[in-house]
Each structure stands twice: as C-alpha cells, then as structure tokens.
Amino acid sequence: GISAQRDAQVAAAMVRSRRGQLDDALLNARDCVLRAEESGATSCAVVSRWVLGDVLQRRGAADESRQVLQIAIDMSPVTGAGGVWRPTLMAWLGLADAMLGVDDPDDRRWEEALAAAREIDNRPGEAGIRWKRAEANASRGRWSAAIGDFEAAAAIYEDEAALPNLGRVLRGLGDA
C-alpha cells in the first residue's frame, strides 16, 4: 500500500545518498518529506528529514540541514518506537551546528545521544553518533577526540558489515 511505497522511496533516497548520488538523493528525500507530511505519516517524515538533512550537510548546506533536522527532532517522539531516531537526529544536528560555527562548550548533547542509543542497543546509531561527533570535533580542530570517535565508529560499522558507512568514516579518519 501507500506505506510500503513511502518506505521504498525513503530507502531509494538512502541508497542514492550512500552511493554519492547526492542530486538524486536530494530530490528523492525532498519528495519523501512532502508526501509523508501530506499524508500525516510522522515516522516516515522523521526518517525522510534525517536523509534530507544528511544530504544537505554533505552538499555544504548546513543552515538548511539544521532547519530540516530541527523540525524532525520536534516531530520525533521522545520515547517509544519513534524515539529511536531522536539520538541520531541530535547527532546530525550537532554536526550542522559545528558546520555553522555554533559554540559547543561541552559534550552533554553527544553523551546524551550516545546513552540513548546504547540504552536501546542501537549499535549503528551509536556508530553514527560517534561519526558525526568526530566530524564536529575535526571541524573544531580537536584532533585526538575526533580520531578516537572515528576509530570507534569504524569498529562498529565493520562489525555490522555496514561497508558504505565504514568507507566514509575511514575517509574522515584519513582526513583527520
């Protein structure tokens, strides 16, 4: 039905993004957000906004990414099944803030996101949070912290056989 079509469309946007086909992923993700929100499919809208926020970050559009991710966080339930995305969204928002030069005096947001991911045993989520914190720390010149998180994220992605993400994390580690 319609839900399966939306899920397939979000999955297609994710695949295009992982392949580096950012123009196509951007169009797919924007369309996913629009359709999900028109139909009231909140969970799909949250995931679609995460994909869109990620693609926008990778294209250097940090401000738009931040706006998209903040709306997803506002839509995302704090608890329950929908809450599984909240820690990931917070991490991507943290990177958007770093890209925009927003001061981040402590690691509280990152630690809260990591704790939430661990609480539900979301290993890929933990890896994503560490990866984005590594990128944020690298952008701020905090090299030892960045390297530690890149290495931790790479180990999880390797264990999970998440090869596209492993490749991107290792490239980030090499750049750090």
Side-chain angles (χ1 to χ4, degrees):
I2 292 173
S3 180
Q5 290 173 353
R6 278 193 302 267
D7 290 348
Q9 189 177 19
V10 172
M14 287 177 165
V15 168
R16 286 185 175 98
S17 174
R18 296 234 167 99
R19 288 182 176 163
Q21 299 167 342
L22 299 182
D23 291 341
D24 291 338
L26 181 66
L27 293 173
N28 276 122
R30 284 190 195 280
D31 191 47
C32 288
V33 168
L34 180 66
R35 289 177 187 228
E37 290 179 358
E38 284 176 349
S39 66
T42 303
S43 293
C44 187
V46 167
V47 175
S48 299
R49 282 186 171 280
W50 170 69
V51 174
L52 180 57
D54 178 63
V55 171
L56 289 166
Q57 281 181 3
R58 292 171 60 204
R59 292 173 53 110
D63 191 46
E64 187 179 358
S65 173
R66 189 186 198 298
Q67 293 170 19
V68 165
L69 293 165
Q70 185 61 61
I71 292 169
I73 289 166
D74 293 344
M75 296 172 74
S76 176
V78 175
T79 59
V84 71
W85 282 99
R86 198 169 188 80
T88 299
L89 293 164
M90 293 300 294
W92 263 251
L93 184 69
L95 178 58
D97 283 346
M99 293 170 72
L100 292 167
V102 174
D103 190 31
D104 181 29
D106 62 42
D107 275 343
R108 188 180 69 239
R109 173 189 354 200
W110 299 103
E111 290 303 321
E112 288 172 2
L114 282 170
R118 288 178 185 136
E119 184 177 322
I120 59 172
D121 198 30
N122 182 354
R123 300 266 299 145
E126 179 182 348
I129 293 162
R130 288 184 166 281
W131 174 18
K132 295 303 153 180
R133 182 169 69 177
E135 289 182 342
N137 279 326
S139 76
R140 292 182 168 115
R142 300 177 191 156
W143 303 113
S144 61
I147 290 170
D149 275 332
F150 276 128
E151 289 174 344
I156 294 169
Y157 283 139
E158 187 172 21
D159 287 347
E160 298 288 326
L163 300 181
N165 286 347
L166 176 60
R168 288 175 57 201
V169 167
L170 291 175
R171 181 178 37 190
L173 178 59
D175 290 344

